[in-house]
Amino acid sequence: MNIFSKLAMDTGMNPYIHVAYRQIFAFLFLAPVAFFVERGKRPPMTMTVLFQVFLSSIFGLTMNQITYFVGLKNSTPTIACALSNLLPAITFVLAVIFKQEKARLKTLGGVAKLMGTLVGVAGAMLLSLYHGPVIPIGEPGIHLRVPDNAANGSNGPGHANIVGPLLVIISALTWAIWFIIQAKMGDAYPAPYSSSALMLSMSTIQCTIFGAIMVPHAREWALYPGIRAVASVYGGVVCSGIGVCMMSWCIQRKGPLFVSVFSPLLLVIVAALSWALLREKLYLGTLLGSVLIVIGLYSVLWGKSKEIEEVQQPLKELQQVTKEDIEMHKELQEVTKDDMEMH
């Protein structure tokens, strides 16, 4: 998505238009899925849930994607992807503020989460503010015509522009707010596909109106060259549609911690593809900042896993005690039975 979107916007596609098309294609894909998968399972809609869905559409889709793609246009896919890894740390801070998570600073897990958050923020600041020398890794052997054409119509990667990284950080903040809202809404309305489809319908209207205000000329909405259509359909169907379904499937079987552990792998993949396909140069600041973000992320995840172990340990001990009581009761019954036979 990062590569396709960057190529599309480098050909002159406005990010507001790209966001609007992404919502449209995502809604057209997910609406029938939600209708058939959750037919007869949807709980009744209330005004409270409807308001939560509206807030989710504002923060989780409209504001999140507008700030992200405008930030992507004014930076690079590697920077945008790296800063997106701040999401777990920002979510942890907001969860503590809204009492959905406990800091537990007197425990090893709580200290690890706090230190991981600070290290991740430091990495984001280093990546955003420090450029540094180019890492000499040579030129890629791949030569594609599309990136060359895109580069000719581009206003430059904007690597040194602080606006791009700042907007991506704001995007991560709005996405974290969406997580907080979703945690409350999921308990009252346990129909994720239907709520997502309703959320996409609202964001489609919001983004289309906002895009029409920002870009009123109809010719700017053309999905030509073809990379614009590819980026819009891919972002909507694959990322907002199939991607959400796949992550939900994995979370149900392995839990959110297992899924989020793979997030830093995205940074490595995007950096390699950006170097190979977009001929993006890798800078020392980008490398050092990315490493700190990954270290901070894994520190938060490790701290969270330690807390889960600490919570589950008393339960395991209770289960062990219960098992021992059952065995002792069986032995007592056996002794009583022997006494009766002896009598």
Side-chain angles (χ1 to χ4, degrees):
M1 183 202 70
N2 281 277
I3 301 297
F4 286 159
S5 298
K6 183 64 175 176
L7 289 175
M9 288 185 288
D10 282 350
T11 62
M13 187 178 193
N14 191 285
Y16 303 111
I17 296 175
H18 179 56
V19 170
Y21 273 126
R22 176 172 174 172
Q23 309 310 311
I24 293 172
F25 287 118
F27 172 72
L28 292 177
F29 171 79
L30 196 57
V33 173
F35 176 78
F36 289 106
V37 172
E38 296 179 340
R39 182 169 54 181
K41 303 177 183 178
R42 286 181 288 270
M45 177 63 66
T46 63
M47 290 300 298
T48 301
V49 173
L50 188 63
F51 181 66
Q52 291 173 338
V53 172
F54 174 73
L55 291 179
S56 296
S57 68
I58 290 288
F59 287 102
L61 294 178
T62 302
M63 291 180 61
N64 170 261
Q65 293 189 18
I66 287 177
T67 52
Y68 182 83
F69 284 109
V70 175
L72 176 63
K73 183 177 177 63
N74 289 277
S75 60
T76 64
T78 301
I79 291 178
C81 180
L83 292 176
S84 297
N85 280 324
L86 284 174
L87 177 62
I90 297 176
T91 304
F92 164 64
V93 173
L94 290 179
V96 171
I97 293 175
F98 289 96
K99 298 182 179 180
Q100 294 184 1
E101 186 83 26
K102 293 183 179 180
R104 301 179 185 274
L105 296 181
K106 294 183 178 180
T107 64
L108 185 61
V111 173
K113 291 195 299 183
L114 177 61
M115 294 303 297
T117 301
L118 296 177
V119 171
V121 171
M125 294 301 100
L126 178 65
L127 186 147
S128 304
L129 301 176
Y130 176 64
H131 195 158
V134 177
I135 299 177
I137 59 174
E139 292 289 333
I142 303 174
H143 181 77
L144 295 180
R145 185 178 180 183
V146 172
D148 290 342
N149 293 338
N152 292 334
S154 174
N155 294 325
H159 183 93
N161 188 358
I162 190 62
V163 175
L166 180 61
L167 287 174
V168 176
I169 294 175
I170 295 174
S171 173
L173 173 62
T174 58
W175 193 233
I177 294 174
W178 179 81
F179 276 138
I180 301 299
I181 299 173
Q182 285 291 112
K184 290 184 174 295
M185 187 178 68
D187 296 333
Y189 195 80
Y193 296 112
S194 298
S195 61
S196 297
L198 182 59
M199 182 173 61
L200 282 168
S201 67
M202 293 181 181
S203 66
T204 298
I205 298 173
Q206 296 162 7
C207 293
T208 303
I209 293 175
F210 191 78
I213 294 174
M214 299 298 294
V215 190
H217 305 293
R219 64 179 181 273
E220 297 288 336
W221 289 73
L223 290 176
Y224 182 82
I227 187 62
R228 299 186 182 186
V230 171
S232 300
V233 174
Y234 185 88
V237 175
V238 178
C239 298
S240 294
I242 298 176
V244 171
C245 297
M246 290 176 66
M247 284 189 290
S248 300
W249 184 86
C250 292
I251 289 173
Q252 287 178 357
R253 284 155 179 78
K254 292 290 187 179
L257 184 64
F258 177 85
V259 178
S260 61
V261 163
F262 290 87
S263 177
L265 184 62
L266 178 63
L267 176 61
V268 179
I269 297 173
V270 170
L273 290 177
S274 297
W275 172 78
L277 302 180
L278 301 182
R279 295 187 175 180
E280 175 187 321
K281 296 180 180 179
L282 294 179
Y283 295 88
L284 181 62
T286 304
L287 177 62
L288 294 178
S290 301
V291 170
L292 287 177
I293 289 174
V294 172
I295 292 174
L297 172 65
Y298 273 103
S299 179
V300 172
L301 294 177
W302 183 83
K304 183 63 178 175
S305 65
K306 291 295 292 183
E307 286 190 348
I308 293 175
E309 290 178 3
E310 292 172 1
V311 171
Q312 291 179 343
Q313 186 63 31
L315 181 60
K316 291 180 180 179
E317 294 177 355
L318 180 62
Q319 291 176 339
Q320 184 66 27
V321 170
T322 304
K323 183 178 179 181
E324 292 175 356
D325 288 342
I326 293 175
E327 292 177 353
M328 185 179 299
H329 182 68
K330 289 182 179 179
E331 292 177 359
L332 182 61
Q333 286 181 330
E334 187 67 29
V335 170
T336 305
K337 183 179 179 181
D338 291 341
D339 289 342
M340 291 179 62
E341 291 176 353
M342 186 179 298
H343 182 71

